[in-house]
Amino acid sequence: MRYFLPAFIFFLLSCNMLAQSDSIQETDAAPEETISNASPQTKAMVIDLSNPADVELTLKRIHTFKYLESVVLEGETDESTLHKILFRLSVLKNLSALTLKDNELNKVPENIKGIKTLRSISIEGNTELDYNDLCNKLSTLPITNLKLTDNGLKQTPPTFSAIKTLTKIEITGSDQLNYEN
């Protein structure tokens, strides 16, 4: 009987901790916010660059999202529009992660260097992108994480070493990548 009470208390505490971890996992799976449905406290957002209405709203409102930490720029757009969006993102003091996804880019605009708080960048599905140019532009930023996904790389760009602060590189979905170079 004297072991029953401590065992029962341990059981209750364990059940409570499991219930809390389940609720944490559920809240992590929140739907992605877009520029049209985001609240001023939004920390992560997906912007559809192939949707003219989203682009127009982004150009008007993106600077008002003071807590924004992560942005996904998805879909094809022209270099001029991307330049304008990157300029507006550069005023956000908490922005640390940027994803460029399926943008059909050849080069990233020069003003990506203006996002001084950027620590992580992910490039997905941009098979025509000049990765040497990208690495040279990122070399002035405190980038620690670089993720390249489904970009059709055949060899690693020699300019990776230009990003002195880089601590992690992840390359996936490049079946023809020659790992010996």
Side-chain angles (χ1 to χ4, degrees):
M1 183 70 169
R2 72 179 194 188
Y3 295 110
F4 176 75
L5 186 57
F8 183 70
I9 291 172
F10 176 77
F11 172 77
L12 289 177
L13 289 173
S14 298
C15 289
N16 188 32
M17 287 176 18
L18 284 173
Q20 285 178 352
S21 69
D22 285 346
S23 65
I24 289 170
Q25 288 173 352
E26 289 172 15
T27 57
D28 285 345
E32 293 179 336
E33 293 192 65
T34 64
I35 190 75
S36 59
N37 70 5
S39 73
Q41 291 78 30
T42 295
K43 291 186 177 189
M45 180 183 302
V46 176
I47 300 170
D48 182 359
L49 298 179
S50 62
N51 180 339
D54 281 2
V55 170
E56 183 178 340
L57 198 53
T58 298
L59 292 172
K60 288 180 183 177
R61 296 187 52 215
I62 196 68
H63 67 280
T64 64
F65 294 93
K66 305 287 185 212
Y67 302 101
L68 202 54
E69 296 173 1
S70 174
V71 173
V72 176
L73 299 175
E74 184 174 18
E76 191 175 347
T77 192
D78 59 84
E79 189 177 332
S80 173
T81 301
L82 186 57
H83 178 85
K84 291 174 189 175
I85 291 172
L86 292 176
F87 176 75
R88 283 166 177 78
L89 290 175
S90 70
V91 302
L92 299 174
K93 302 297 181 208
N94 293 312
L95 186 63
S96 62
L98 177 65
T99 298
L100 299 172
K101 183 175 181 183
D102 299 325
N103 309 112
E104 301 294 324
L105 295 174
N106 291 319
K107 290 194 177 209
V108 173
E110 187 76 24
N111 68 337
I112 195 167
K113 296 176 182 181
I115 308 175
K116 299 291 185 191
T117 56
L118 201 57
R119 303 283 183 271
S120 176
I121 188 160
S122 178
I123 310 292
E124 300 176 19
N126 284 290
T127 58
E128 301 301 317
L129 187 63
D130 181 343
Y131 288 93
N132 286 317
D133 178 68
L134 172 71
C135 291
N136 284 328
K137 288 175 181 169
L138 296 179
S139 69
T140 63
L141 298 174
I143 301 293
T144 57
N145 296 313
L146 176 61
K147 181 178 179 183
L148 304 174
T149 304
D150 297 329
N151 293 306
L153 290 175
K154 292 184 173 99
Q155 62 182 4
T156 56
T159 52
F160 274 161
S161 61
I163 310 172
K164 300 293 184 203
T165 54
L166 196 58
T167 58
K168 181 179 178 185
I169 300 172
E170 182 180 337
I171 301 174
T172 58
S174 293
D175 297 337
Q176 296 179 15
L177 182 61
N178 180 354
Y179 290 97
E180 293 179 21
N181 289 338

